[in-house]
Amino acid sequence: MTTPAVSDSPRIPEAVHRRRWAILGVLMLSLLIVVLDNSILNVAIKTISTPAPTGLGATQSELEWAINSYTLVFAGLLFTAGLLGDRLGRKKVLLGGLVLFGIGSALAAWSGSPGELITFRAVMGFGAAFVMPATLAVLMNVFEREEQPKAIGIWAGGVGLAIAIGPITGGVLLDHFWWGSVFLINVPIVILAVALMVWLVPDSRDPKPGRIDPVGVILSVIGLVLLVYGIIKGGQLADFTDPQVLATIGAGVAVLVGFVVFEARSDHPSIDVRYFKNKVFSAAIAAIALVFFALMGVTFFSVFYTQSVRGYSPLQTGLLMLPLAAAQLIFAPRARLMVDRFGNRATTTAGMLIIAAMLAAFATLEADTPIWILEVIFFLMGTGMAHIMTPTSVVIMQALPREKAGSASALSNTFRQVGGALGIAVLGSVLSTAYRNGIEDKLGALPADVRHTAGESIEATLGVAAKLGPEGQSLITPANDAFLHAMHLTALCGAGVAVIGAVVVGLFLPGRMTARQEGKEEQELVSAE
């Protein structure tokens, strides 16, 4: 016998059902601060790289670590956080994660050095790891199955709202306050979210969690941390053939293989790896990882394009990213209508192809390209993302029984974060290597130590040029040219990854299904239960 993912009869208490939309609002507020933090930081990285007292004087590698220390801890703990939420109660885990995130934000705001910022960003990542999977898990336990696609669409639209609010908020704060204000803004949001959650959100957990699987939990954390650390280190060194990088990534892969083997043989696994035998479930997970690989890398370099090459302020950069967020906000809640009409395969494949085309379009941007073209690219990119995230999230969350919602959400978010870390590390490596190759011939007149520093990034080159005064003006045009060439190459790499994603979902996601086919698919997805 198999256990159906959801019973045919309503399982949500009436009191919870009546306030389900208010609960969704609280969950989106919790999600808001996690996404808001990353989108704010993307606008602030240029300011943080400026020498004190304006910023911290962070180098290119320190900036990547400020982003990736968060990602490293976040990705490493997501799966464990989802399991703990299923076992201990999602509300408790969500509240604890929010409080820790708020403490980390306050500490990050008053960092006195890049090293302190990197450390406190890791604390924020620890808290965020317990927030992200819990929001979607609670959602699955307060909405009946027929309303879940609509609720997930609104949830995904909230990501778009956060992406819109983040850069604009960051720009306003940086125009009026010091750089640390972009982290301090999280604290009042955390306080409000905690208060509303205590009042409105019910607790839920897996009623039959089984025995604890400490070996599986430890292996998953060690494997993910080693893998993501190796990826980040490779991006930092701009050399994925470095023995230390290869050893770390290899160790991470080996531990994760051991995790899969152990879970397959365990009679009380943390996650039943047999779910991945289902092509639909695996393709949906892969699509999320690949789209975030492409998008995170583009977000990283687009800030330098708008601020360093085009000369826009942080606030103007935030406003320029509005179309990306607006498209997600508009289309994510409506994506289910496209799925109903055309099916998951056509909708998601079209979304991936749109993203691939827009990434390729980045390769046409120059220093004097009309800015409205960038706005169109951002809008269409957001449209494509909305038609990927909502359908794949629904597939993943409805694949597992409702009691395992935390684990399903954690799996989705783990692959999203690992894909994003890969995007920043690999595409960041392509960007920095191509930039250094393009600029090094123009730095021959500089002293050797200054030459190495100036070749790290366009911001480093422009910083050296500013210190040289009139003599440094001759470096500005070559720096812009080298960066644009590097950006074009990086964008084409991202486009290639998006095309691979389109092939994966085109081959393995289902088309339009009848009610009978949907029922059969659900039984296959939960057959391991």
Side-chain angles (χ1 to χ4, degrees):
M1 292 293 289
T2 60
T3 303
V6 180
S7 172
D8 291 335
S9 59
R11 296 171 53 187
I12 311 299
E14 182 59 31
V16 173
H17 183 73
R18 283 199 304 268
R19 64 177 190 267
R20 64 195 184 284
W21 297 109
I23 292 170
L24 178 59
V26 178
L27 297 176
M28 288 175 64
L29 184 63
S30 304
L31 179 70
L32 177 73
I33 61 168
V34 177
V35 181
L36 182 78
D37 177 72
N38 276 329
S39 58
I40 280 183
L41 183 60
N42 284 332
V43 174
I45 54 177
K46 183 176 182 294
T47 303
I48 294 172
S49 69
T50 309
T54 303
L56 291 175
T59 65
Q60 178 88 3
S61 61
E62 286 171 337
L63 286 175
E64 289 183 15
W65 274 111
I67 294 171
N68 285 324
S69 64
Y70 180 95
T71 303
L72 179 66
V73 177
F74 195 8
L77 290 175
L78 267 171
F79 183 62
T80 301
L83 290 173
L84 288 175
D86 288 343
R87 177 174 296 277
L88 303 177
R90 286 115 189 182
K91 180 177 180 178
K92 297 183 186 72
V93 165
L94 188 46
L95 286 171
L98 281 171
V99 171
L100 188 59
F101 185 88
I103 293 171
S105 297
L107 293 172
W110 300 103
S111 299
S113 67
E116 288 185 9
L117 177 61
I118 291 168
T119 300
F120 296 138
R121 286 276 298 160
V123 174
M124 294 170 68
F126 194 104
F130 288 84
V131 173
M132 181 71 91
T135 59
L136 204 47
V138 172
L139 180 154
M140 297 299 288
N141 280 273
V142 298
F143 285 91
E144 294 294 351
R145 187 175 181 84
E146 63 273 9
E147 282 190 321
Q148 286 172 2
K150 181 179 180 181
I152 290 174
I154 295 172
W155 179 89
V159 175
L161 179 63
I163 292 174
I165 293 173
I168 296 171
T169 304
V172 171
L173 291 170
L174 291 172
D175 277 357
H176 294 89
F177 304 101
W178 94 114
W179 64 266
S181 60
V182 302
F183 299 111
L184 201 60
I185 191 67
N186 292 330
V187 176
I189 302 175
V190 165
I191 293 172
L192 177 61
V194 167
L196 290 173
M197 192 163 298
V198 170
W199 178 36
L200 286 171
V201 177
D203 205 356
S204 62
R205 68 181 73 190
D206 185 346
K208 298 178 181 179
R211 304 206 310 273
I212 296 176
D213 176 27
V215 175
V217 167
I218 292 170
L219 287 175
S220 70
V221 172
I222 293 174
L224 284 168
V225 168
L226 284 172
L227 177 64
V228 177
Y229 178 83
I231 292 165
I232 294 169
K233 193 67 178 176
Q236 181 186 4
L237 298 175
D239 181 11
F240 279 84
T241 62
D242 181 87
Q244 181 185 355
V245 173
L246 290 176
T248 308
I249 292 177
V253 171
V255 173
L256 289 175
V257 169
F259 167 74
V260 171
V261 172
F262 180 83
E263 295 297 282
R265 295 177 176 178
S266 174
D267 60 355
H268 58 287
S270 297
I271 180 67
D272 195 328
V273 294
R274 286 175 292 179
Y275 285 123
F276 284 95
K277 292 181 179 179
N278 184 279
K279 294 177 181 179
V280 174
F281 181 75
S282 297
I285 289 280
I288 284 180
L290 290 171
V291 75
F292 269 82
F293 178 101
L295 286 173
M296 288 297 286
V298 170
T299 303
F300 187 73
F301 69 65
S302 65
V303 171
F304 288 100
Y305 171 71
T306 54
Q307 293 189 39
S308 298
V309 176
R310 302 301 298 261
Y312 289 101
S313 69
L315 177 57
Q316 289 170 326
T317 297
L319 292 170
L320 286 173
M321 295 182 73
L322 263 178
L324 176 68
Q328 290 188 69
L329 194 59
I330 293 167
F331 292 112
R334 294 170 174 80
R336 74 185 195 285
L337 303 177
M338 298 293 289
V339 173
D340 290 343
R341 183 169 182 180
F342 300 107
N344 276 304
R345 181 190 301 139
T347 302
T348 310
T349 302
M352 292 296 285
L353 290 175
I354 289 171
I355 287 180
M358 291 308 101
L359 289 169
F362 261 98
T364 67
L365 297 179
E366 302 291 346
D368 57 354
T369 300
I371 203 64
W372 65 265
I373 294 178
L374 178 64
E375 299 298 88
V376 172
I377 291 173
F378 275 148
F379 184 81
L380 291 176
M381 191 175 287
T383 302
M385 189 174 181
H387 288 90
I388 297 167
M389 295 309 301
T390 299
T392 53
S393 294
V394 172
V395 167
I396 291 165
M397 293 307 297
Q398 292 189 342
L400 303 187
R402 196 201 308 254
E403 291 78 13
K404 306 293 184 183
S407 299
S409 178
L411 277 171
S412 170
N413 284 295
T414 298
F415 277 82
R416 180 183 305 174
Q417 290 302 317
V418 171
L422 269 167
I424 291 174
V426 176
L427 296 183
S429 173
V430 172
L431 183 72
S432 60
T433 302
Y435 179 79
R436 186 180 287 279
N437 291 339
I439 196 66
E440 60 185 359
D441 291 342
K442 310 298 189 297
L443 303 175
L446 298 177
D449 56 336
V450 177
R451 191 186 315 143
H452 180 80
T453 301
E456 277 193 351
S457 67
I458 183 173
E459 200 54 42
T461 306
L462 296 178
V464 169
K467 291 178 182 178
L468 293 176
E471 295 179 7
Q473 292 299 307
S474 61
L475 291 176
I476 294 177
T477 299
N480 287 343
D481 291 342
F483 177 82
L484 288 170
H485 171 72
M487 182 182 80
H488 295 163
L489 181 62
T490 306
L492 290 175
C493 291
V497 171
V499 169
I500 293 172
V503 172
V504 170
V505 296
L507 288 175
F508 299 117
L509 282 190
R512 289 187 63 188
M513 292 194 296
T514 64
R516 183 176 180 179
Q517 287 173 321
E518 287 178 352
K520 182 180 178 182
E521 184 68 38
E522 287 169 21
Q523 290 296 325
E524 291 177 359
L525 285 165
V526 298
S527 60
E529 286 293 304

